[in-house]
Amino acid sequence: MIDPSALPALHASHGGIWLREADRTQAVAKGTAIARTAETPALLLNAPLTGQRLGYPELNGLDLLELWAFVHPARFLVPTPKGLAEALNLPPAASEADIPALLQAAARTLLSILESPDWQEREGGWTAAQSLHRLRWTWAPLVAPRLARPAEAERWLFSKLPEWEEAAPRPAPRVVSLQGEAVLARLEGLTGAGAEARPGQRAYAAAAADIFRPKAHREQPNMLLAEAGTGIGKTLGYLAPASLWAGEAQGTVWISTYTKALQRQLDRESLRLFPDPAVAARRVVVRKGRENYLCLLNLEDALQGGFSGRAAILAQLVARWAAFTKDGDMIGGDLPGWLPTLFRRNGSTALTDRRGECIYAGCPHYRKCFIERSSRASADADIVIANHALVMINAARGRESGQAPQRIVFDEGHHLFDAADSTFSVALSGQEAIELRRWVMGPEGNSRGRRRGLAARLSDLASYDEQGGEAIRAAADAARALPADEWLKRIVAGEPFGPVEQLLAAVRGTVYARAADNGEADAGYGLETELAEPDGALVEAAAGAAQALDGLLRPLTHLGKRMEAVIEDAPDWLDGAARARVEGAIASLGWRRDLIAAWLALLARIGGPADPDFVDWLAVERIEGREFDIGIHRHWLDPTRPLAETVLKPAQGVLITSATLKGGGDWDNAQRRSGASHLPRGAEQFEASSPFDYPERSEVLIVTDIRRGDIAALSGAYARLIEAAGGGTLGLFTAIRRLRAVHARIADRLARAGLPLYAQHVDPMDTGTLIDIFRDDPRASLLGTDALRDGVDVPGHSLRLVVMEGVPWSKPSVLHAARKLAGGGSAYDDRLIRARMAQAFGRLIRRAEDRGSFVILSAAMPSRLLSAFPPGTPIRRLTLDEAIISVSGHSRTGLGGHAALGLQGIESGIDDREQE
């Protein structure tokens, strides 16, 4: 067998490149490293990242992350040398030059596990290794000889997955009232004996219990808006009454989040409620959209030849994971977030149901389906952990009868407005239209994959019901009016085919004509213009497209009626599986009919009167000058109106909570942005301030000598601040272009100082993995955009400095301009900016012993926005040199002896004019 110690090992970072061969490690140049790994596969850790460091993105080798995914398919790993050493109980590398030797030791350890009788993930390993060998997986020659052939043939994945069972619907919850003493006793049980007493948390739990009272008024849930500062302990504060009510009433409480990070945290906290993992898995269920879960039918297709090359290797490793996963969640679950990124042009998205092509009971794996299992488990769960979008979609579509959320806790409630804005919006675009065509017609031409059209999915219905079959054929004929493959090329070439493509061509022409007048046409980013005063060509094209869409809606409506008639008649062939398939098709068909109806309403607006409830605009979507979509968009001016009608009013009790719920404003602002203002009686309010000592443990520094637009100065400021803090820095940007420019200028410099720097939109890793790496290494720093401004929980010394490149002004857009006009002008903008700054500042202090600095690189930071920070927080305007001294001292010994002024002590005369 091949000895891994005899293999070359390569490590590349911004600090240098080291190659180990024949027990000797030496620093080498990029060309040497590339040439050597091309001759003999070398041990690597994260090949795409190593290739990026070398400037050779196609680098391949023996990636230890792939080996880890084979040996421990559903186990967490921070994909760094430090994380690998800790996971394998190996001594960490003392310097980067020692990392190649560590990689050899890690390979030796992982391969030895394959021969150990204690290997917990042995089942299926031999069979998977044989398949991977045939696919020429680079690790196969080292893995296969170490695996003994099992005495009996191993079960195939699809035969060993457990089946879910159909159960009777759960009875309606009992009507109960929670006693205050019982709620506080449950809270004490969750926090544990001897835990520090938190009066704010006890008051919060008592207030949250009120949403579980019996409902007293029609269309008026028991509703509470609760702003609980960081450190209050709101998670256990609402879990205490929620779990108590669920147990006494035998009902379900939905806890909704905006970020996957909080979902994972809540899932971990469930072990406080139910210490036995088996009981916790049954009583607490995580629910996500269908597109998050592995589709077993797609996986089977991939394993049987649907994938080729590296994508086929990915499918085999995902199959290994599927045998050990907790719930089949591929996005934010126990599938390592770094695994799909190892395969560059990976096929992971093709393994989920992203196109609404599920055939429900027609699928041979229906009884083992992860999605269906999660859906059914949630019906009997005490706690369902979901996200804002899923809760809204379930309420709006009524897809799952009897599972409409009735008791809801919206955590991260300051995002509720944005989630509603996305959920209740409509876009008639080329991408959306071609997906509808494929859903109706199925594959065309030489397209591969298992996508099936209506005719294939409902073949038994078509053969049984003549009218239903005719409706399917009529729908397929009408769908030919929708955009087909290469629609964008035809439009750009001025040769649109069909009425909808002609509409998109007219939209594109209008956008470019009007954007050019504003000097925006050559900016390289997306373009948009308000849908106002449309010209004759656009009005005419809209009429033709509306006629075509109406021609598709009619047969789909007729088909829905025929399917309902078949369900009522219940012919002999309509067994349980067939009934479930038809019912699933009815629901899916209903969503598409609703979508087309919304498109028709949008097209009626073109040439007609504007609807004051909506904001409509035309857009050409571009990335760095390359067009990828064209469309017409419609958003509610106030998306909390449909939120209130579809989610809040039918509910029994609703808690909306966040550390920044008031969003930089007052309680009226919270009422408006939560939808409570549309309820007959509004909502009750609760507020608990953070217990942290912000004046002592934090500071806000406004750097006044960095000129806006000076990338060199901005880069130098970031580098010096990170060096002063010794790493542990979260850098926030409002533009990807500036983020990349700064990263390119400072990454090498920081690496030479032993300070690793990672960045969104630069490093080939998902955001969750980047945050895991940042959290694990106190000397690492991370640059990112809006996704890192909220929902990032990095307590302790790993995050001690937050740097914002400037004031996070809103991007000028048609939608923002309309809402600003309706919301009070600059006051509306100020509320948004204060909320964003408060969220960013909230990343800094996560525990009572945390300490850190918050730096804004903006000379024109308006003082009216400084109320975003907690009262008493020291705020100073100073030069970069002074900020360096303060950060250096504060990250080690506090405020470093520098005098700091509170909010009331800020000098007057500051330029308060808004800057872009």
Side-chain angles (χ1 to χ4, degrees), residues 566-901:
V566 168
I567 291 288
E568 292 176 2
D569 292 343
D572 294 341
W573 58 268
L574 195 71
D575 56 12
R579 174 181 289 272
R581 185 172 70 259
V582 174
E583 288 176 346
I586 290 173
S588 185
L589 189 66
W591 305 343
R592 269 71 183 192
R593 290 203 309 267
D594 291 344
L595 175 64
I596 297 172
W599 285 354
L600 288 170
L602 182 54
L603 291 177
R605 155 76 176 87
I606 301 178
D611 190 329
D613 290 336
F614 296 99
V615 182
D616 304 325
W617 72 93
L618 315 174
V620 175
E621 308 294 342
R622 306 193 302 182
I623 297 179
E624 297 180 350
R626 182 180 61 85
E627 296 181 24
F628 66 90
D629 203 4
I630 302 167
I632 311 172
H633 298 261
R634 163 167 281 191
H635 283 233
W636 282 83
L637 182 64
D638 178 5
T640 65
R641 286 182 55 187
L643 169 69
E645 291 296 327
T646 59
V647 181
L648 302 183
K649 289 182 179 180
Q652 298 286 323
V654 178
L655 167 64
I656 301 178
T657 186
S658 166
T660 56
L661 188 62
K662 289 188 287 187
D666 51 20
W667 280 114
D668 286 341
N669 185 56
Q671 294 268 356
R672 288 192 299 269
R673 293 186 68 83
S674 65
S677 59
H678 300 299
L679 299 178
R681 297 171 181 265
E684 298 296 320
Q685 299 156 8
F686 173 87
E687 184 172 4
S689 300
S690 173
F692 297 152
D693 187 356
Y694 289 109
E696 174 62 27
R697 310 199 69 84
S698 66
E699 62 179 356
V700 175
L701 307 176
I702 302 169
V703 176
T704 59
D705 56 348
I706 302 298
R707 188 162 51 89
R708 184 176 180 275
D710 189 340
I711 294 296
L714 184 67
S715 302
Y718 266 96
R720 294 180 63 194
L721 287 166
I722 292 172
E723 289 168 345
T729 300
L730 177 64
L732 299 175
F733 289 77
T734 56
I736 296 174
R737 181 171 51 186
R738 287 193 294 276
L739 182 156
R740 288 173 172 166
V742 168
H743 178 273
R745 286 173 176 260
I746 69 175
D748 291 357
R749 167 181 169 176
L750 293 174
R752 288 191 293 270
L755 302 173
L757 180 66
Y758 299 90
Q760 270 187 309
H761 310 290
V762 176
D763 293 313
M765 287 181 278
D766 66 293
T767 300
T769 297
L770 288 171
I771 294 172
D772 289 337
I773 294 173
F774 178 49
R775 184 185 293 114
D776 188 60
D777 187 352
R779 292 183 64 79
S781 296
L782 176 61
L783 306 182
T785 52
D786 289 353
L788 299 185
R789 193 179 59 220
D790 198 6
V792 175
D793 186 16
V794 183
H797 197 55
S798 289
L799 176 52
R800 50 196 177 273
L801 173 64
V802 175
V803 183
M804 297 188 74
E805 64 157 330
V807 182
W809 301 110
S810 300
K811 178 185 176 183
S813 67
V814 172
L815 181 60
H816 175 71
R819 287 178 176 160
K820 180 178 178 180
L821 182 63
S826 60
Y828 174 85
D829 254 350
D830 286 354
R831 288 193 296 269
L832 293 181
I833 305 309
R834 282 196 292 267
R836 291 169 188 164
M837 294 178 67
Q839 291 155 21
F841 182 85
R843 304 308 101 211
L844 191 61
I845 308 295
R846 309 297 295 175
R847 297 188 306 205
E849 61 269 25
D850 288 354
R851 175 185 301 281
S853 302
F854 188 88
V855 178
I856 305 171
L857 302 174
S858 173
M861 171 72 190
S863 53
R864 69 177 185 276
L865 300 179
L866 298 179
S867 59
F869 304 112
T873 302
I875 301 175
R876 289 185 293 149
R877 297 181 185 267
L878 68 183
T879 65
L880 177 62
D881 289 340
E882 293 170 327
I884 298 294
I885 296 171
S886 188
V887 167
S888 179
H890 192 66
S891 63
R892 293 165 176 82
T893 60
L895 291 176
H898 297 282
L901 299 176

Side-chain angles (χ1 to χ4, degrees), residues 176-187 205-206 209-210 212-213 240-241 244-245 248:
V176 300
S177 294
L178 300 182
Q179 301 300 313
E181 297 81 2
V183 171
L184 296 180
R186 173 60 61 90
L187 176 63
D210 283 346
F212 298 102
R213 289 182 288 109
L244 186 64
W245 178 87
E248 292 186 2

Side-chain angles (χ1 to χ4, degrees), residues 57 106 209 263 296 303 345 414 429 476-477 511 578 641 657 660 673 713 720 725 754 863 865 883 916:
Q263 281 191 328
L296 293 174
L303 295 176
R345 294 178 291 275
H414 58 278
S429 71
D477 289 340
V511 170
R641 286 182 55 187
T657 186
T660 56
R673 293 186 68 83
R720 294 180 63 194
S863 53
L865 300 179
E916 178 178 302

